[in-house]
Amino acid sequence: MKEKEQKILDASLKLFVERGFHGTSTAEIAKTAGVATGTLFHYFKTKEELINRLYLYTKESMLCEISEHYDDKKAFKENIKELWLKFVRFGVNSPYKFQFILTFHCSPYITSLTKEQVESHAESMLGIYKNGIGKQKIKEISFEMVMDYFWGNVVTVVTHFEKYPEKLNEKNLDMAFELLWDGISK
Amino acid sequence: MKEKEQKILDASLKLFVERGFHGTSTAEIAKTAGVATGTLFHYFKTKEELINRLYLYTKESMLCEISEHYDDKKAFKENIKELWLKFVRFGVNSPYKFQFILTFHCSPYITSLTKEQVESHAESMLGIYKNGIGKQKIKEISFEMVMDYFWGNVVTVVTHFEKYPEKLNEKNLDMAFELLWDGISK
Amino acid sequence: MKEKEQKILDASLKLFVERGFHGTSTAEIAKTAGVATGTLFHYFKTKEELINRLYLYTKESMLCEISEHYDDKKAFKENIKELWLKFVRFGVNSPYKFQFILTFHCSPYITSLTKEQVESHAESMLGIYKNGIGKQKIKEISFEMVMDYFWGNVVTVVTHFEKYPEKLNEKNLDMAFELLWDGISK
Amino acid sequence: MKEKEQKILDASLKLFVERGFHGTSTAEIAKTAGVATGTLFHYFKTKEELINRLYLYTKESMLCEISEHYDDKKAFKENIKELWLKFVRFGVNSPYKFQFILTFHCSPYITSLTKEQVESHAESMLGIYKNGIGKQKIKEISFEMVMDYFWGNVVTVVTHFEKYPEKLNEKNLDMAFELLWDGISK
DNA sequence: GATGAATGAGAATTCATTCAT
DNA sequence: GATGAATGAATTCTCATTCAT
């Protein structure tokens, strides 16, 4: 990716999260990125294309950092905790990207075409779920509920540590995971 | 409250949730409410005042429906479940108001002055928390964490049942609460 | 005139002078006058009618205070000084009315119909002029020039004493008149 | 200065003089200037900035044309007449600029910051005044009064010749100056 | 007479987008 | 590729005027 293109993505990530899509003008993005407005439209045909490309970029960033593989040698709880930790760490380390995905996942600016382009984290979760059910480790609740609960928990925890950064340490992370685990495990 | 004022609040609640603050024009709000644009500005000096008054209104609506009292005769778990249910039911019955509070609670359009005007639900939660800790019913985690976890759980559950309305029944509500309870209880 | 009608005239005189015609809203006039907007439009069909009636009112006020008669017994200079003094005193004592006439005499809001309704001070001036020319007291310059010079002088003097109110005394008034007199007299 | 910027200044000069600040819409200015409304706001951030920049521009125009130097070789009267003529000629040749300065010099739209940026014509006048007093050529009246009288006279004369353009000739200009000179000289 | 809620055309200003350089 | 002047539709907000009470 060209340097200016990257700068535009970075600037718009920050601004879209802080002020929303309609609250951010392309002029501001260009200014923040240190380029001319014409340059922005050279790389991104429209503002909508910009936010869609930004969505692809952030989602890829996240999936890249997650990319876990279920490890049969480890205990089931370890496997799920590892996945959980990866999401939480991504959220804590890349708060803008995390918040962007959170905010714009359901927004009308992200076309369904874009959404199709990113494989969801559902697949890896589905494996874990089936395994957990099979081994009778987790309660018999629907896959959708577990998915939503897992993700909701990640969001809650990331948001919490963003509010109270001084609380972010291994012990509290472990405790936070136990809240999730004790909730879903048998 | 005057009839037209109410219609404007209703219309803006819907539109702000669906399209965001900057994504909704005052002309659209007025049209949806069935009044002239001038009328909107007769009741609300600026668009910002409108969203702030809307915030006060929705928050009051919620607190009005929650307004629980801790009942010593009931078991601790019953008490906390009742509070949880009230929030979830509010979210399910008033999805726009619930989503509005969720989206705009942290938005820069809501002034701190407005936020001061609504007593948070923290107070009732604090009573329950202390009681739970005292009776050694809940894990020894910080109050802030319990608060965030409780609220995050409510959000997750409401969102889930909005996605899958056919799943909304007593049994699934109970199961959803158990996810929370087993997480935070000793 | 009804009390509220008078209050509206007073309020609009002040506001039109301070902020101009378009810079003053009827709502502000009503508020300053202590009446409802509807009341303003009860007494004055339109904003334009208001400023036209205000023009008639201020012009009448002035002409009423001027209303001089040429006195053959007095010296020619005395006669003209008396007229000059009356204008200057009106300007100093009723600065809003004076400024209003000054500003709106040539404005497009005052219809020619309105202007016709007020006899100008030209008539009395014409008498003086002819007399002055006849007695060979004043230079042989056109009537129009004398008129404009006389009136320009009044405006200059009134404006000057408004800027430096501490200088307003008999001596300085006399000196100011001499500037005019020595200019136009032979 | 860019071509479109100049066209906007020219158009607003005409319209502000003819209809006043609030009586002129930015849309009209843009239309008259032959540019889009957006272009106006590209060069002038607000309507207020426009009128302030216009004030600087007109005042500079005038001072540029005046820029006299007292010439000791000439008679005192000649010197003062030359200055007077320059002002009158500016007013006659640039009636819009002259009227604009006249109307907006005391208006609240022109910020004091703007006024500071233009050196007044007072300085050259002060030199003439001191010289005149010193040579016992002019009456012993305050500097402020002479200033106001001189300027008031210029305004009167310019306005008069605008009303009666057919009267504008050397002879009448001389006569008009004599009105001023005989007024202030000993 | 007096009120002020209601109206909608019009005001100043913003902004995504284009295009000549 | 890069720039930023230029555009005009859309936005927030104002205001003269009306009319039911």
Side-chain angles (χ1 to χ4, degrees):
Chain A
M1 201 183 316
K2 295 284 172 56
E3 185 210 351
K4 303 218 169 190
E5 195 178 351
Q6 184 64 54
K7 277 186 177 170
I8 292 165
L9 283 179
D10 291 344
S12 52
L13 173 63
K14 181 171 147 52
L15 291 171
F16 281 153
V17 166
E18 285 173 355
R19 312 186 196 176
F21 180 70
H22 287 295
T24 306
S25 71
T26 51
E28 274 175 313
I29 296 170
K31 201 176 172 187
T32 305
V35 303
T37 61
T39 306
L40 189 155
F41 285 91
H42 177 71
Y43 286 107
F44 307 90
K45 246 190 337 218
T46 65
K47 197 185 179 188
E48 290 233 335
E49 190 189 312
L50 170 57
I51 200 171
N52 275 276
R53 293 254 298 277
L54 184 55
Y55 184 73
L56 290 174
Y57 164 67
T58 51
K59 206 74 187 270
E60 229 160 71
S61 281
M62 186 174 76
L63 293 178
C64 179
E65 279 195 39
I66 305 306
S67 72
E68 53 71 60
H69 299 291
Y70 191 84
D71 184 347
D72 266 319
K73 288 170 203 150
K74 289 184 185 168
F76 173 73
K77 187 179 171 182
E78 288 307 304
N79 269 305
I80 201 167
K81 185 172 180 181
E82 213 157 287
L83 183 61
W84 181 87
L85 264 173
K86 278 175 177 165
F87 275 111
V88 170
R89 285 209 173 104
F90 173 77
V92 164
N93 294 330
S94 308
Y96 277 114
K97 289 179 183 172
F98 188 82
Q99 189 59 48
F100 180 82
I101 293 167
L102 218 58
T103 306
F104 291 95
H105 182 63
C106 296
S107 95
Y109 319 123
I110 307 300
T111 68
S112 48
L113 190 70
T114 299
K115 281 174 193 160
E116 276 171 27
Q117 287 181 58
V118 294
E119 347 114 55
S120 85
H121 52 279
E123 225 155 314
S124 47
M125 274 301 295
L126 187 56
I128 292 180
Y129 173 72
K130 282 180 178 163
N131 201 293
I133 291 281
K135 291 187 177 167
Q136 300 204 313
K137 296 287 185 183
I138 63 174
K139 293 177 181 167
E140 274 164 32
I141 39 182
S142 72
F143 172 60
E144 290 83 13
M145 187 71 213
V146 174
M147 276 285 290
D148 285 354
Y149 200 72
F150 180 88
W151 181 247
N153 184 284
V154 168
V155 170
T156 296
V157 171
V158 168
T159 309
H160 181 76
F161 286 127
E162 228 166 304
K163 265 204 312 205
Y164 310 102
E166 72 282 6
K167 288 190 180 178
L168 180 57
N169 57 41
E170 282 300 308
K171 200 189 123 217
N172 281 331
L173 272 174
D174 286 346
M175 273 176 55
F177 178 71
E178 293 302 317
L179 289 174
L180 169 65
W181 178 255
D182 290 347
I184 61 170
S185 68
K186 267 196 179 163
Chain B
M1 204 183 313
K2 294 280 172 58
E3 182 211 350
K4 305 223 167 190
E5 195 179 351
Q6 184 65 54
K7 278 185 177 170
I8 293 165
L9 283 179
D10 291 344
S12 52
L13 173 63
K14 181 171 146 53
L15 292 170
F16 282 153
V17 166
E18 285 174 356
R19 312 185 196 177
F21 181 70
H22 287 296
T24 307
S25 73
T26 50
E28 276 175 312
I29 296 170
K31 203 177 172 185
T32 306
V35 303
T37 60
T39 306
L40 190 155
F41 287 95
H42 178 71
Y43 286 107
F44 306 91
K45 258 201 305 245
T46 64
K47 199 184 178 186
E48 288 233 337
E49 190 189 313
L50 170 57
I51 200 171
N52 274 276
R53 294 255 299 275
L54 185 54
Y55 183 74
L56 290 174
Y57 165 67
T58 52
K59 205 76 188 270
E60 229 159 72
S61 283
M62 185 174 77
L63 294 178
C64 180
E65 279 196 40
I66 304 307
S67 71
E68 54 70 61
H69 299 292
Y70 191 84
D71 184 347
D72 268 318
K73 288 169 202 152
K74 289 184 185 167
F76 174 73
K77 188 179 171 182
E78 287 307 302
N79 268 308
I80 201 168
K81 185 172 180 181
E82 212 157 287
L83 181 62
W84 182 87
L85 265 173
K86 278 175 178 165
F87 276 111
V88 171
R89 287 211 172 102
F90 173 78
V92 164
N93 294 331
S94 308
Y96 278 115
K97 288 179 184 171
F98 188 81
Q99 189 60 47
F100 181 83
I101 292 168
L102 218 56
T103 306
F104 291 96
H105 181 62
C106 295
S107 95
Y109 318 123
I110 307 300
T111 67
S112 48
L113 190 69
T114 299
K115 282 174 192 160
E116 275 172 28
Q117 286 181 58
V118 294
E119 347 116 54
S120 86
H121 52 279
E123 225 155 314
S124 46
M125 274 299 296
L126 187 57
I128 292 181
Y129 171 72
K130 281 180 179 164
N131 202 293
I133 290 280
K135 290 185 179 170
Q136 302 204 314
K137 296 286 184 184
I138 63 174
K139 292 177 182 168
E140 272 162 33
I141 38 183
S142 73
F143 173 60
E144 290 83 13
M145 187 71 211
V146 174
M147 277 285 290
D148 285 354
Y149 202 71
F150 181 89
W151 181 245
N153 184 284
V154 167
V155 171
T156 295
V157 170
V158 168
T159 309
H160 182 74
F161 285 128
E162 230 167 302
K163 268 203 308 205
Y164 311 103
E166 71 280 6
K167 290 192 181 177
L168 180 55
N169 57 40
E170 282 300 308
K171 200 189 122 216
N172 281 333
L173 271 176
D174 286 347
M175 273 176 55
F177 178 71
E178 293 303 317
L179 289 173
L180 169 64
W181 176 253
D182 290 346
I184 60 171
S185 67
K186 267 194 179 166
Chain C
M1 203 181 318
K2 294 284 171 57
E3 184 210 353
K4 304 218 167 189
E5 195 179 350
Q6 184 64 52
K7 277 185 177 169
I8 292 166
L9 283 178
D10 291 342
S12 53
L13 172 63
K14 180 171 148 51
L15 291 171
F16 282 153
V17 166
E18 284 173 356
R19 312 185 197 178
F21 180 70
H22 287 294
T24 306
S25 71
T26 51
E28 275 175 312
I29 295 170
K31 201 175 170 186
T32 305
V35 303
T37 61
T39 306
L40 189 156
F41 285 90
H42 177 71
Y43 286 106
F44 306 89
K45 248 194 331 224
T46 65
K47 198 184 177 187
E48 290 233 335
E49 190 190 313
L50 169 57
I51 200 171
N52 275 277
R53 293 255 299 277
L54 184 55
Y55 184 74
L56 289 174
Y57 164 68
T58 50
K59 206 74 187 269
E60 227 160 73
S61 281
M62 186 174 76
L63 294 179
C64 178
E65 280 195 39
I66 304 307
S67 71
E68 54 73 59
H69 299 291
Y70 191 84
D71 184 347
D72 268 318
K73 288 171 202 150
K74 289 183 183 167
F76 174 72
K77 186 178 173 183
E78 287 307 304
N79 269 307
I80 202 167
K81 183 169 182 184
E82 212 157 289
L83 181 62
W84 182 88
L85 264 174
K86 278 176 177 166
F87 276 112
V88 170
R89 286 211 171 104
F90 173 77
V92 164
N93 294 331
S94 309
Y96 277 113
K97 289 179 183 171
F98 188 81
Q99 189 61 47
F100 180 83
I101 293 167
L102 218 56
T103 307
F104 292 95
H105 181 64
C106 295
S107 96
Y109 318 123
I110 306 301
T111 68
S112 48
L113 191 70
T114 299
K115 281 174 192 160
E116 277 171 26
Q117 286 180 58
V118 293
E119 347 114 54
S120 84
H121 52 278
E123 223 154 315
S124 48
M125 273 300 295
L126 186 57
I128 291 180
Y129 172 73
K130 283 180 177 164
N131 202 293
I133 290 281
K135 292 188 176 167
Q136 300 205 314
K137 295 284 183 184
I138 63 174
K139 294 176 180 168
E140 273 164 33
I141 40 184
S142 73
F143 173 60
E144 290 82 14
M145 187 71 214
V146 174
M147 276 286 289
D148 285 353
Y149 201 72
F150 181 89
W151 180 246
N153 184 285
V154 167
V155 170
T156 296
V157 170
V158 168
T159 308
H160 181 76
F161 286 128
E162 227 165 304
K163 268 205 308 205
Y164 311 102
E166 74 279 6
K167 290 190 179 177
L168 180 57
N169 56 43
E170 282 300 309
K171 199 187 125 219
N172 281 332
L173 272 175
D174 286 347
M175 273 174 58
F177 177 72
E178 292 303 317
L179 289 174
L180 169 66
W181 177 254
D182 289 347
I184 61 173
S185 67
K186 266 191 181 166
Chain D
M1 203 181 316
K2 295 280 172 57
E3 182 211 351
K4 304 222 167 189
E5 195 178 351
Q6 183 64 54
K7 277 186 178 169
I8 292 165
L9 283 178
D10 291 344
S12 51
L13 172 64
K14 181 171 146 54
L15 291 170
F16 281 153
V17 166
E18 284 174 357
R19 311 186 197 177
F21 180 70
H22 288 296
T24 306
S25 73
T26 51
E28 277 174 313
I29 295 170
K31 203 175 170 187
T32 305
V35 302
T37 60
T39 305
L40 189 156
F41 287 94
H42 178 72
Y43 286 106
F44 307 91
K45 258 203 307 247
T46 64
K47 198 183 177 188
E48 289 232 336
E49 190 188 313
L50 169 58
I51 201 172
N52 275 275
R53 294 255 298 277
L54 184 55
Y55 183 74
L56 289 175
Y57 166 67
T58 50
K59 204 76 187 268
E60 229 160 71
S61 282
M62 185 174 78
L63 294 179
C64 181
E65 279 196 39
I66 303 308
S67 71
E68 53 71 61
H69 300 291
Y70 191 85
D71 183 348
D72 267 318
K73 288 170 202 150
K74 290 184 184 165
F76 174 73
K77 187 178 172 183
E78 287 307 303
N79 270 307
I80 202 166
K81 184 170 182 183
E82 211 157 289
L83 181 61
W84 181 88
L85 265 173
K86 278 175 177 166
F87 276 111
V88 170
R89 286 208 173 105
F90 173 77
V92 165
N93 294 331
S94 308
Y96 279 113
K97 289 180 184 171
F98 187 81
Q99 189 59 48
F100 181 83
I101 292 168
L102 219 55
T103 306
F104 291 96
H105 180 63
C106 294
S107 96
Y109 317 124
I110 307 300
T111 68
S112 47
L113 191 70
T114 299
K115 281 175 192 160
E116 275 172 27
Q117 286 180 58
V118 293
E119 347 118 52
S120 87
H121 51 280
E123 223 153 317
S124 47
M125 274 300 295
L126 186 57
I128 292 181
Y129 172 73
K130 282 182 179 164
N131 203 293
I133 289 280
K135 293 186 176 169
Q136 300 204 316
K137 296 284 183 183
I138 64 175
K139 294 176 181 168
E140 273 163 35
I141 39 184
S142 72
F143 173 60
E144 291 82 14
M145 187 71 212
V146 174
M147 276 285 289
D148 286 354
Y149 201 73
F150 181 89
W151 181 246
N153 184 284
V154 168
V155 170
T156 295
V157 170
V158 169
T159 308
H160 181 76
F161 285 127
E162 229 166 303
K163 269 202 310 203
Y164 310 103
E166 73 279 6
K167 291 191 179 177
L168 180 57
N169 56 42
E170 281 299 308
K171 199 189 123 217
N172 282 331
L173 270 176
D174 286 346
M175 273 175 57
F177 177 72
E178 293 303 318
L179 288 174
L180 169 65
W181 177 254
D182 290 346
I184 61 171
S185 66
K186 267 192 178 167

